[in-house]
Coordinates of all heavy atoms in Angstrom, one line a residue:
M1 N 161.5 135.2 -51.0 CA 162.4 134.2 -50.6 C 161.7 133.2 -49.7 O 162.1 132.1 -49.8 CB 163.5 135.0 -49.8 CG 164.6 134.1 -49.2 SD 165.4 133.4 -50.5 CE 166.8 132.7 -49.8
E2 N 160.7 133.6 -49.0 CA 160.0 132.6 -48.2 C 159.3 131.5 -49.0 O 159.3 130.4 -48.7 CB 158.9 133.3 -47.3 CG 158.2 132.4 -46.3 CD 157.2 133.1 -45.5 OE1 157.5 134.4 -45.2 OE2 156.2 132.5 -45.1
R3 N 158.8 132.0 -50.2 CA 158.1 131.1 -51.1 C 159.1 130.1 -51.6 O 158.8 128.8 -51.7 CB 157.5 131.8 -52.2 CG 156.6 131.0 -53.0 CD 155.8 131.9 -54.0 NE 154.5 132.0 -53.4 CZ 153.4 132.4 -54.0 NH1 153.5 132.7 -55.3 NH2 152.3 132.4 -53.5
V4 N 160.3 130.5 -52.0 CA 161.3 129.6 -52.5 C 161.7 128.5 -51.5 O 161.8 127.3 -51.8 CB 162.6 130.4 -52.9 CG1 163.7 129.5 -53.3 CG2 162.2 131.2 -54.1
L5 N 161.9 129.0 -50.2 CA 162.2 128.0 -49.1 C 161.1 127.0 -48.9 O 161.3 125.9 -48.7 CB 162.5 128.7 -47.9 CG 163.8 129.6 -47.8 CD1 163.9 130.3 -46.5 CD2 165.0 128.6 -48.0
L6 N 159.8 127.5 -49.0 CA 158.7 126.6 -48.8 C 158.6 125.6 -49.9 O 158.4 124.3 -49.6 CB 157.5 127.4 -48.7 CG 156.2 126.8 -48.4 CD1 156.2 126.1 -47.0 CD2 154.9 127.6 -48.4
V7 N 158.8 126.0 -51.1 CA 158.8 125.1 -52.3 C 159.9 124.1 -52.2 O 159.8 122.8 -52.4 CB 158.7 125.8 -53.6 CG1 158.9 124.9 -54.7 CG2 157.5 126.6 -53.8
G8 N 161.1 124.6 -51.9 CA 162.3 123.8 -51.8 C 162.1 122.7 -50.6 O 162.5 121.6 -50.8
A9 N 161.6 123.1 -49.5 CA 161.4 122.2 -48.4 C 160.4 121.1 -48.8 O 160.6 120.0 -48.5 CB 160.9 122.9 -47.1
G10 N 159.3 121.5 -49.4 CA 158.3 120.6 -49.9 C 158.9 119.5 -50.9 O 158.5 118.4 -50.9
G11 N 159.7 120.0 -51.8 CA 160.4 119.1 -52.7 C 161.3 118.1 -52.1 O 161.3 117.0 -52.4
V12 N 162.1 118.6 -51.1 CA 163.0 117.7 -50.3 C 162.2 116.7 -49.6 O 162.4 115.5 -49.6 CB 163.9 118.5 -49.4 CG1 164.6 117.5 -48.4 CG2 164.9 119.3 -50.2
L13 N 161.2 117.1 -48.8 CA 160.4 116.2 -48.0 C 159.6 115.3 -48.8 O 159.4 114.0 -48.5 CB 159.5 117.0 -47.1 CG 160.2 117.8 -46.0 CD1 159.2 118.7 -45.2 CD2 160.9 117.0 -45.0
G14 N 159.1 115.8 -50.0 CA 158.4 115.0 -50.9 C 159.2 113.8 -51.5 O 158.8 112.7 -51.5
G15 N 160.4 114.2 -51.8 CA 161.4 113.2 -52.3 C 161.8 112.2 -51.2 O 161.9 110.9 -51.5
Y16 N 161.9 112.6 -50.0 CA 162.3 111.7 -48.9 C 161.1 110.7 -48.7 O 161.4 109.5 -48.5 CB 162.6 112.5 -47.6 CG 162.8 111.6 -46.5 CD1 164.1 110.9 -46.4 CD2 161.9 111.5 -45.5 CE1 164.3 110.1 -45.3 CE2 162.2 110.7 -44.4 CZ 163.4 110.0 -44.3 OH 163.6 109.2 -43.2
T17 N 160.0 111.2 -48.6 CA 158.8 110.3 -48.3 C 158.6 109.4 -49.4 O 158.2 108.1 -49.2 CB 157.5 111.0 -48.1 OG1 157.1 111.9 -49.1 CG2 157.6 111.9 -46.8
T18 N 158.8 109.7 -50.7 CA 158.6 108.8 -51.8 C 159.7 107.7 -51.7 O 159.4 106.5 -51.9 CB 158.8 109.6 -53.1 OG1 157.8 110.6 -53.2 CG2 158.7 108.6 -54.3
F19 N 160.9 108.1 -51.4 CA 162.0 107.1 -51.3 C 161.8 106.1 -50.1 O 162.0 105.0 -50.3 CB 163.4 107.7 -51.1 CG 164.5 106.8 -51.2 CD1 164.9 106.2 -52.3 CD2 165.1 106.5 -50.0 CE1 165.9 105.3 -52.3 CE2 166.2 105.6 -50.0 CZ 166.5 104.9 -51.1
S20 N 161.4 106.7 -49.0 CA 161.1 105.8 -47.8 C 160.0 104.9 -48.1 O 160.0 103.7 -47.6 CB 160.9 106.7 -46.5 OG 159.7 107.5 -46.6
T21 N 159.0 105.3 -48.8 CA 157.8 104.4 -49.1 C 158.3 103.3 -50.1 O 157.9 102.2 -49.9 CB 156.7 105.2 -49.8 OG1 156.2 106.2 -48.9 CG2 155.5 104.3 -50.2
F22 N 159.2 103.7 -51.0 CA 159.7 102.7 -51.9 C 160.5 101.6 -51.1 O 160.4 100.4 -51.3 CB 160.6 103.4 -52.9 CG 161.6 102.5 -53.7 CD1 161.1 101.6 -54.7 CD2 163.0 102.6 -53.5 CE1 161.9 100.8 -55.4 CE2 163.8 101.8 -54.2 CZ 163.3 100.9 -55.2
G23 N 161.4 102.1 -50.2 CA 162.2 101.1 -49.4 C 161.2 100.3 -48.5 O 161.5 99.1 -48.4
Y24 N 160.3 100.9 -47.9 CA 159.4 100.1 -47.0 C 158.6 99.1 -47.7 O 158.5 97.9 -47.2 CB 158.5 101.1 -46.2 CG 157.6 100.5 -45.2 CD1 158.1 99.9 -44.1 CD2 156.2 100.3 -45.5 CE1 157.4 99.2 -43.1 CE2 155.4 99.7 -44.6 CZ 155.9 99.1 -43.4 OH 155.1 98.4 -42.5
E25 N 158.0 99.5 -48.9 CA 157.2 98.4 -49.6 C 158.1 97.3 -50.1 O 157.6 96.2 -50.1 CB 156.5 99.2 -50.7 CG 155.3 100.0 -50.1 CD 154.5 100.8 -51.2 OE1 155.0 100.7 -52.5 OE2 153.6 101.4 -50.9
T26 N 159.3 97.7 -50.5 CA 160.3 96.6 -51.0 C 160.6 95.7 -49.8 O 160.6 94.5 -49.9 CB 161.5 97.3 -51.6 OG1 161.1 98.1 -52.7 CG2 162.4 96.2 -52.1
F27 N 160.9 96.3 -48.6 CA 161.2 95.5 -47.4 C 160.0 94.6 -47.0 O 160.3 93.5 -46.7 CB 161.5 96.4 -46.2 CG 161.6 95.8 -44.9 CD1 162.7 95.1 -44.7 CD2 160.6 95.8 -44.1 CE1 162.8 94.4 -43.4 CE2 160.6 95.1 -42.8 CZ 161.8 94.4 -42.5
Q28 N 158.8 95.1 -47.2 CA 157.7 94.2 -46.8 C 157.5 93.1 -47.8 O 157.3 91.9 -47.4 CB 156.4 95.0 -46.8 CG 156.2 95.9 -45.7 CD 154.8 96.6 -45.7 OE1 154.4 97.2 -46.7 NE2 154.0 96.4 -44.6
L29 N 157.8 93.3 -49.0 CA 157.8 92.2 -50.1 C 158.8 91.1 -49.8 O 158.5 89.9 -49.8 CB 157.9 92.8 -51.5 CG 156.7 93.5 -52.0 CD1 157.1 94.2 -53.3 CD2 155.5 92.6 -52.2
I30 N 160.0 91.7 -49.4 CA 161.1 90.7 -49.1 C 160.8 89.9 -47.9 O 161.0 88.7 -47.8 CB 162.4 91.5 -49.0 CG1 162.8 91.9 -50.5 CG2 163.6 90.5 -48.5 CD1 164.0 92.9 -50.5
R31 N 160.3 90.6 -46.8 CA 160.0 90.0 -45.5 C 159.0 88.9 -45.7 O 159.1 87.9 -45.0 CB 159.6 91.1 -44.6 CG 159.2 90.5 -43.2 CD 158.5 91.5 -42.3 NE 157.2 91.7 -42.9 CZ 156.4 92.8 -42.7 NH1 156.8 93.7 -41.9 NH2 155.3 93.0 -43.3
D32 N 157.9 89.2 -46.6 CA 156.9 88.2 -46.8 C 157.3 87.2 -47.9 O 156.4 86.4 -48.3 CB 155.7 88.9 -47.3 CG 155.1 89.9 -46.2 OD1 155.5 89.7 -45.0 OD2 154.3 90.8 -46.6
A33 N 158.6 87.1 -48.2 CA 159.1 86.1 -49.1 C 158.6 86.2 -50.5 O 158.4 85.2 -51.2 CB 159.0 84.7 -48.6
Q34 N 158.2 87.4 -51.0 CA 157.7 87.6 -52.3 C 158.8 88.2 -53.1 O 158.7 89.3 -53.6 CB 156.4 88.6 -52.2 CG 155.3 88.0 -51.5 CD 154.1 88.9 -51.4 OE1 154.1 90.0 -52.1 NE2 153.2 88.6 -50.7
W35 N 159.8 87.4 -53.3 CA 161.0 87.8 -54.0 C 160.7 88.3 -55.5 O 161.2 89.3 -55.9 CB 162.1 86.8 -54.0 CG 162.6 86.6 -52.6 CD1 162.1 85.6 -51.7 CD2 163.7 87.3 -51.9 NE1 162.9 85.8 -50.5 CE2 163.8 86.8 -50.6 CE3 164.4 88.4 -52.3 CZ2 164.7 87.3 -49.8 CZ3 165.3 88.9 -51.4 CH2 165.4 88.4 -50.2
P36 N 159.9 87.5 -56.3 CA 159.7 88.0 -57.6 C 159.0 89.4 -57.7 O 159.4 90.2 -58.5 CB 158.8 86.9 -58.2 CG 159.1 85.7 -57.4 CD 159.3 86.2 -56.0
A37 N 158.0 89.6 -56.8 CA 157.3 90.8 -56.8 C 158.3 91.9 -56.4 O 158.2 93.1 -56.9 CB 156.1 90.8 -55.8
A38 N 159.1 91.7 -55.3 CA 160.1 92.7 -54.9 C 161.1 93.1 -56.0 O 161.3 94.2 -56.2 CB 160.9 92.2 -53.7
A39 N 161.5 92.1 -56.7 CA 162.5 92.3 -57.8 C 161.9 93.1 -59.0 O 162.5 94.0 -59.5 CB 163.1 91.0 -58.3
A40 N 160.6 92.7 -59.3 CA 159.8 93.4 -60.3 C 159.6 94.8 -59.9 O 159.8 95.7 -60.8 CB 158.5 92.6 -60.6
S41 N 159.3 95.0 -58.7 CA 159.0 96.4 -58.2 C 160.2 97.3 -58.3 O 160.2 98.4 -58.8 CB 158.5 96.4 -56.8 OG 158.3 97.6 -56.2
V42 N 161.3 96.8 -57.9 CA 162.6 97.6 -57.9 C 163.0 97.9 -59.3 O 163.2 98.9 -59.7 CB 163.7 96.9 -57.2 CG1 165.1 97.5 -57.4 CG2 163.4 96.8 -55.7
A43 N 162.9 96.8 -60.2 CA 163.3 97.0 -61.6 C 162.5 97.9 -62.3 O 163.0 98.8 -63.0 CB 163.3 95.6 -62.2
L44 N 161.2 97.8 -62.1 CA 160.3 98.7 -62.8 C 160.3 100.1 -62.3 O 160.4 101.1 -63.1 CB 158.8 98.2 -62.7 CG 158.4 97.1 -63.5 CD1 157.0 96.5 -63.1 CD2 158.4 97.5 -65.0
Q45 N 160.4 100.4 -61.0 CA 160.5 101.7 -60.5 C 161.8 102.4 -60.8 O 161.7 103.5 -61.2 CB 160.3 101.7 -58.9 CG 158.8 101.3 -58.6 CD 158.6 101.5 -57.1 OE1 158.8 102.6 -56.5 NE2 158.1 100.5 -56.5
V46 N 162.9 101.7 -60.8 CA 164.2 102.3 -61.2 C 164.2 102.5 -62.6 O 164.6 103.6 -63.2 CB 165.4 101.4 -60.6 CG1 166.7 102.0 -61.2 CG2 165.4 101.5 -59.0
G47 N 163.8 101.5 -63.4 CA 163.8 101.6 -64.9 C 162.9 102.6 -65.3 O 163.3 103.5 -66.3
L48 N 161.7 102.8 -64.9 CA 160.8 103.9 -65.2 C 161.3 105.2 -64.8 O 161.1 106.2 -65.5 CB 159.3 103.6 -64.8 CG 158.7 102.5 -65.4 CD1 157.3 102.1 -64.6 CD2 158.4 102.6 -66.9
G49 N 161.9 105.3 -63.6 CA 162.4 106.5 -63.2 C 163.6 107.0 -64.1 O 163.6 108.2 -64.5
I50 N 164.5 106.1 -64.5 CA 165.5 106.6 -65.4 C 165.0 106.8 -66.7 O 165.4 107.8 -67.4 CB 166.6 105.3 -65.5 CG1 167.3 105.3 -64.2 CG2 167.6 105.6 -66.6 CD1 168.2 104.1 -64.1
G51 N 164.0 106.2 -67.3 CA 163.4 106.4 -68.4 C 162.7 107.8 -68.4 O 162.7 108.6 -69.4
G52 N 162.1 108.1 -67.3 CA 161.4 109.5 -67.2 C 162.5 110.6 -67.3 O 162.3 111.6 -67.9
V53 N 163.6 110.4 -66.6 CA 164.7 111.4 -66.6 C 165.2 111.5 -68.0 O 165.5 112.6 -68.6 CB 165.9 111.0 -65.6 CG1 167.0 111.9 -65.9 CG2 165.4 111.1 -64.2
W54 N 165.5 110.4 -68.7 CA 165.9 110.5 -70.2 C 164.9 111.2 -71.0 O 165.4 112.0 -71.9 CB 166.1 109.0 -70.6 CG 166.5 109.0 -72.1 CD1 167.7 109.2 -72.6 CD2 165.6 108.8 -73.2 NE1 167.6 109.1 -74.0 CE2 166.3 108.9 -74.4 CE3 164.2 108.5 -73.3 CZ2 165.8 108.7 -75.6 CZ3 163.7 108.4 -74.6 CH2 164.4 108.5 -75.7
A55 N 163.6 110.9 -70.9 CA 162.6 111.5 -71.7 C 162.6 113.0 -71.4 O 162.5 113.8 -72.4 CB 161.3 110.9 -71.4
G56 N 162.6 113.4 -70.2 CA 162.7 114.8 -69.8 C 163.8 115.6 -70.4 O 163.7 116.7 -70.8
N57 N 165.0 114.9 -70.2 CA 166.2 115.5 -70.8 C 166.2 115.7 -72.3 O 166.5 116.7 -72.8 CB 167.5 114.6 -70.4 CG 168.8 115.2 -70.7 OD1 168.9 116.4 -70.9 ND2 169.7 114.4 -70.7
T58 N 165.8 114.6 -73.0 CA 165.6 114.7 -74.4 C 164.6 115.8 -74.8 O 164.9 116.7 -75.7 CB 165.1 113.3 -74.9 OG1 166.0 112.3 -74.6 CG2 165.0 113.4 -76.5
L59 N 163.4 115.9 -74.2 CA 162.4 116.9 -74.5 C 163.0 118.3 -74.2 O 162.9 119.2 -75.0 CB 161.2 116.6 -73.7 CG 160.1 117.6 -73.9 CD1 159.5 117.6 -75.4 CD2 159.0 117.4 -72.9
A60 N 163.8 118.5 -73.1 CA 164.3 119.7 -72.8 C 165.4 120.1 -73.9 O 165.4 121.3 -74.3 CB 165.0 119.7 -71.4
R61 N 166.1 119.2 -74.3 CA 167.2 119.6 -75.4 C 166.5 119.9 -76.7 O 167.0 120.8 -77.4 CB 168.2 118.4 -75.5 CG 169.2 118.4 -74.5 CD 170.4 117.5 -74.8 NE 169.9 116.1 -74.4 CZ 170.4 115.2 -74.9 NH1 171.2 115.2 -76.0 NH2 170.0 113.9 -74.6
L62 N 165.4 119.2 -77.0 CA 164.7 119.5 -78.3 C 164.0 120.8 -78.3 O 163.8 121.5 -79.3 CB 163.6 118.4 -78.6 CG 164.3 117.0 -78.9 CD1 163.1 116.0 -79.0 CD2 165.1 117.1 -80.3
T63 N 163.5 121.3 -77.1 CA 162.8 122.5 -77.1 C 163.6 123.7 -76.7 O 163.1 124.9 -76.7 CB 161.6 122.3 -76.1 OG1 162.2 122.1 -74.7 CG2 160.7 121.3 -76.4
A64 N 164.9 123.5 -76.3 CA 165.8 124.6 -76.0 C 166.3 125.3 -77.2 O 166.3 124.9 -78.2 CB 166.9 124.1 -75.2

C-alpha cells in the first residue's frame, strides 16, 4: 500500500510541476511580448498532448 501511495503522489506532483512549468513559460513569453511564440507553444503542447492521448487510446483498443 505504501508503494501505491508513493507512486500516486509522484504522479500527482509530477503532473502539477509539468503544468506549472507550462503556465510559467507561457506567461514569460506573453510578458516579453512574444505573442507568436506563446501561441505556437500553447497550440503545439495542447495539440500534441491530445494527439498523444488519442494515439494511446487507439493503441489500447487495438491491443485489448
Side-chain angles (χ1 to χ4, degrees):
M1 183 66 172
E2 183 179 330
R3 188 171 259 200
V4 171
L5 291 174
L6 187 60
V7 170
V12 169
L13 294 176
Y16 176 73
T17 58
T18 300
F19 183 74
S20 62
T21 300
F22 166 70
Y24 180 71
E25 289 179 352
T26 303
F27 170 77
Q28 283 187 310
L29 289 169
I30 292 170
R31 182 192 62 199
D32 295 341
Q34 296 181 8
W35 292 96
S41 175
V42 170
L44 283 170
Q45 290 189 56
V46 172
L48 290 172
I50 291 171
V53 169
W54 174 81
N57 187 22
T58 301
L59 182 61
R61 281 192 280 151
L62 291 174
T63 59

